[in-house]
Amino acid sequence: MPIRNEKGLKIWHRRTGRESLSHWVLWLIGVAIFGYCWQQISNTTTWFFVWDAPRIANDIWMRATPPKWSYIAQLGKPIWDTLNIATLGTIISLFLAVPVAFLAARNTTPSALFIRPIALLIIVSTRSINSLIWALLLIAIIGPGVFAGVIAIAIRSIGFCAKLLYEAIEEINETQVEAITATGASRWQVMAYGIVPQIMPAFAGIAVFRWDINIRESTVLGLVGAGGIGLQLSSSLNVLAWPQVSLILLVILAAVVISEWVSAKVRGAII
Amino acid sequence: MSDTSFDAAARIGQPWKKPPFVQRRWLRLLLIGGFLAYLVAAYMTIDVNWSRVYEGLERGKKFVLAFMAPDFTTRSTDIWEGMIESIVMTVASSVVGIAISIPIALGAARNVAPLPVYLICRSIIAISRALQEIIVAILLVAIFGFGPLAGFLTLSFATIGFLSKLLAEDIESMDKVQAEAIKASGARWTQWINYGVQPQVMPRLIGLSIYRIDINFRESAILGLVGAGGIGATLNTAFDRYEYDTAAAILLVIILIVMALEYLSGVVRARVQ
């Protein structure tokens, strides 16, 4: 405990002199980095536009209200597409994520040296690339439309689902697995009766959680041409039809809120 | 199990069967049937142009091969500048976002804040969480003009919703006894927060902050698609020109940075806990 003698008084300090010095140096470096970053942003900013921002924001607000309610008739199909992209994408990704998770979990992988790193690489690379980038890529390959959106969402979700699932597999109770093994069960029977029942609740929870996230993500996939309500958003933005934009934003907001509510309800029922 | 009609005599000698999740048979069948019907309906609405897909496979092959030979050199200045811009946006927005979310988290914790403050902070969090980053970016680009400032503001705004919510939950579930001990010693409100609350939530705050930096970097990679700065613009151009080797190089850099951040966060979290 660092106690320093100051004018005859013994005073307790939280850190020793050396510790507080290194703290200060770290903070200084942090502040310097932030200052540099801020300068970089500031240099590339047209400050005239920023000072003008309140007027422009007000202007956009005036144009956007009230929302063009009659446009809602044309949003039925896009929102249905968005729902399908999220749901089908989640289902496909779960089919792909389950084997990846089993290969990545330390206690079920066939080879910790060769196969596990590959599975982990799949998890990291699918997770670190945003679904919009996957969509861009898939549109270049298979053309624009809902199909590209479904595949983009599916690929993007593999890493997320597989990561959470393999963590759940690593946390299972080994005694149950041993009990099944002791009855003379084969590898697959151990899997089916010892491991799978233990991770089923986690699996269901992950599926619903990811579906909820995917609804959010699929609402904007249309911005790059991958179907769904984002397509309407980008075409309305392109023609500066602000009353339509505000209506679409309201619809997206409603979809997000409803999906969150549904997922909370379903997860409450499962877990 | 809520199986009331347990008949031991009838069960003996029969193989055990897992009780179904939904007990009522008609409801179970209805749910399964409804789900299958939805799947079919959903599948029907996706019209896949298989000949287009077949043509695209060639390009897909090219893209996969591009990962074997990524091209860092031809557009190295674009990649470099875009990456720096993404990192700059990530750092600045994380710092500002975290700094703003701490007071909001305090305001959104029911055991620290009075009801009116609580309601205001909770609604800020709800708005920030409900709006997608890319949508916020579109609006901010329209208002503030193209460039990284819009991206920086977007990421800061998104950070507030994420961090404040999780931090507020952590503050709400903290150990009251320690905080009360500080209060009993006659501490002021700020001292109470500083010595009673802060030490308890600090490890969680650091862990969440690093996770959020990771997310902010990933998001900063796409904000360029709508003109809000960062590597996304370069990536978009590369895809538009079918320069898959450049796109592959950018994606590899993104993956590497995310992996490094993930590793770093593991190290830091292990140290603070």
Side-chain angles (χ1 to χ4, degrees):
Chain A
M1 204 48 54
I3 297 171
R4 257 177 274 160
N5 225 330
E6 288 175 17
K7 293 176 197 149
L9 278 171
K10 279 185 177 171
I11 294 177
W12 176 79
H13 286 268
R14 201 168 147 207
R15 300 189 180 94
T16 60
R18 182 186 284 267
E19 271 175 0
S20 58
L21 186 72
S22 67
H23 253 251
W24 272 110
V25 171
L26 282 177
W27 271 104
L28 199 67
I29 295 173
V31 171
I33 292 175
F34 176 69
Y36 170 78
C37 290
W38 178 248
Q39 212 187 354
Q40 289 290 311
I41 293 176
S42 166
N43 285 346
T44 43
T45 303
T46 318
W47 286 102
F48 170 72
F49 286 134
V50 178
W51 305 132
D52 207 27
R55 196 184 61 75
I56 295 176
N58 189 40
D59 187 44
I60 290 176
W61 177 255
M62 296 307 283
R63 284 165 200 261
T65 49
K68 190 178 163 193
W69 295 107
S70 58
Y71 187 59
I72 204 155
Q74 289 175 53
L75 293 180
K77 176 82 168 71
I79 204 80
W80 166 248
D81 280 344
T82 302
L83 177 71
N84 292 339
I85 291 172
T87 313
L88 294 177
T90 311
I91 291 171
I92 294 172
S93 90
L94 287 173
F95 273 109
L96 298 170
V98 168
V100 174
F102 274 102
L103 296 179
R106 210 170 269 122
N107 47 357
T108 52
T109 183
S111 154
L113 208 60
F114 296 106
I115 296 178
R116 186 161 187 266
I118 296 175
L120 290 179
L121 185 72
I122 294 175
I123 290 176
V124 171
S125 49
T126 51
R127 232 160 63 86
S128 50
I129 295 174
N130 198 288
S131 46
L132 276 175
I133 299 179
W134 282 117
L136 265 183
L137 167 63
L138 285 159
I139 285 163
I141 294 174
I142 58 180
V146 175
F147 186 54
V150 171
I151 306 293
I153 288 287
I155 295 178
R156 156 82 161 156
S157 312
I158 293 175
F160 180 92
C161 298
K163 184 180 161 73
L164 292 178
L165 198 59
Y166 98 75
E167 281 168 358
I169 296 173
E170 283 183 350
E171 279 165 19
I172 58 166
N173 189 347
E174 283 295 331
T175 47
Q176 297 182 28
V177 178
E178 268 170 41
I180 305 284
T181 316
T183 64
S186 72
R187 211 184 142 83
W188 290 109
Q189 283 173 324
V190 172
M191 200 81 108
Y193 294 98
I195 300 173
V196 171
Q198 291 196 56
I199 58 166
M200 248 358 236
F203 177 78
I206 294 164
V208 180
F209 187 24
R210 189 64 218 187
W211 174 78
D212 177 20
I213 299 174
N214 282 345
I215 290 273
R216 283 163 190 268
E217 297 210 335
S218 56
T219 55
V220 293
L221 282 179
L223 291 175
V224 295
I229 194 160
L231 217 57
Q232 253 63 26
L233 181 62
S234 84
S235 60
S236 300
L237 275 169
N238 284 341
V239 296
L240 298 176
W242 289 102
Q244 292 181 19
V245 172
S246 58
L247 179 71
I248 294 168
L249 290 184
L250 281 177
V251 170
I252 289 178
L253 211 59
V256 167
V257 170
I258 291 171
S259 71
E260 195 155 290
W261 180 78
V262 168
S263 108
K265 279 277 163 204
V266 173
R267 283 210 292 166
I270 298 170
I271 305 167
Chain B
M1 288 301 123
S2 59
D3 200 351
T4 44
S5 59
F6 186 76
D7 187 2
R11 289 289 180 88
I12 287 174
Q14 290 201 347
W16 176 80
K17 254 187 162 164
K18 199 165 145 266
F21 177 64
V22 180
Q23 292 290 330
R24 273 165 294 181
R25 191 181 151 80
W26 63 270
L27 186 64
R28 188 166 74 230
L29 291 177
L30 193 74
L31 282 175
I32 295 173
F35 189 64
L36 288 178
Y38 165 72
L39 278 189
V40 172
Y43 179 74
M44 301 284 268
T45 57
I46 300 173
D47 49 294
V48 183
N49 185 351
W50 287 110
S51 60
R52 173 72 181 79
V53 173
Y54 183 73
E55 282 166 33
L57 281 181
E58 187 62 29
R59 252 171 287 172
K61 202 177 98 192
K62 252 191 234 160
F63 182 74
V64 173
L65 288 177
F67 269 100
M68 305 294 141
D71 179 8
F72 291 94
T73 45
T74 350
R75 305 209 169 271
S76 59
T77 47
D78 284 351
I79 297 176
W80 180 248
E81 276 168 16
M83 267 305 160
I84 293 289
E85 199 164 83
S86 270
I87 293 171
V88 158
M89 272 158 55
T90 308
V91 172
S93 63
S94 301
V95 170
V96 172
I98 291 166
I100 299 176
S101 38
I102 291 169
I104 293 186
L106 283 172
R110 194 63 197 96
N111 53 349
V112 178
L115 191 62
V117 178
Y118 171 79
L119 291 178
I120 292 170
C121 290
R122 280 285 164 182
S123 38
I124 293 174
I125 292 175
I127 292 169
S128 162
R129 275 167 49 78
L131 292 173
Q132 271 259 312
E133 275 98 339
I134 200 94
I135 292 176
V136 176
I138 291 173
L139 293 176
L140 289 178
V141 165
I143 294 172
F144 290 99
F146 292 101
L149 183 77
F152 156 75
L153 291 172
T154 305
L155 292 177
S156 304
F157 181 66
T159 305
I160 294 171
F162 174 88
L163 208 71
S164 304
K165 179 176 196 277
L166 295 173
L167 193 61
E169 270 156 25
D170 203 43
I171 296 173
E172 278 176 349
S173 64
M174 72 172 182
D175 188 358
K176 274 199 214 94
V177 183
Q178 296 177 28
E180 265 171 37
I182 302 288
K183 229 177 198 172
S185 73
R188 278 179 280 121
W189 191 82
T190 44
Q191 286 175 327
W192 177 56
I193 296 292
N194 195 359
Y195 293 97
V197 179
Q198 192 204 346
Q200 294 196 49
V201 297
M202 212 52 197
R204 177 110 170 119
L205 174 63
I206 294 173
L208 286 176
S209 300
I210 291 179
Y211 183 40
R212 186 64 216 187
I213 291 173
D214 184 6
I215 298 176
N216 277 349
F217 177 74
R218 273 184 267 172
E219 293 293 333
S220 77
I222 55 156
L223 293 181
L225 296 181
V226 296
I231 190 72
T234 320
L235 192 62
N236 199 13
T237 321
F239 276 127
D240 281 348
R241 293 183 184 151
Y242 297 105
E243 289 172 353
Y244 291 128
D245 35 8
T246 306
I250 297 172
L251 292 180
L252 282 176
V253 177
I254 294 176
I255 293 172
L256 272 180
I257 293 182
V258 170
M259 276 172 96
L261 280 173
E262 207 148 286
Y263 176 75
L264 196 76
S265 81
V267 172
V268 173
R269 260 183 292 182
R271 273 194 61 176
V272 293
Q273 266 156 17

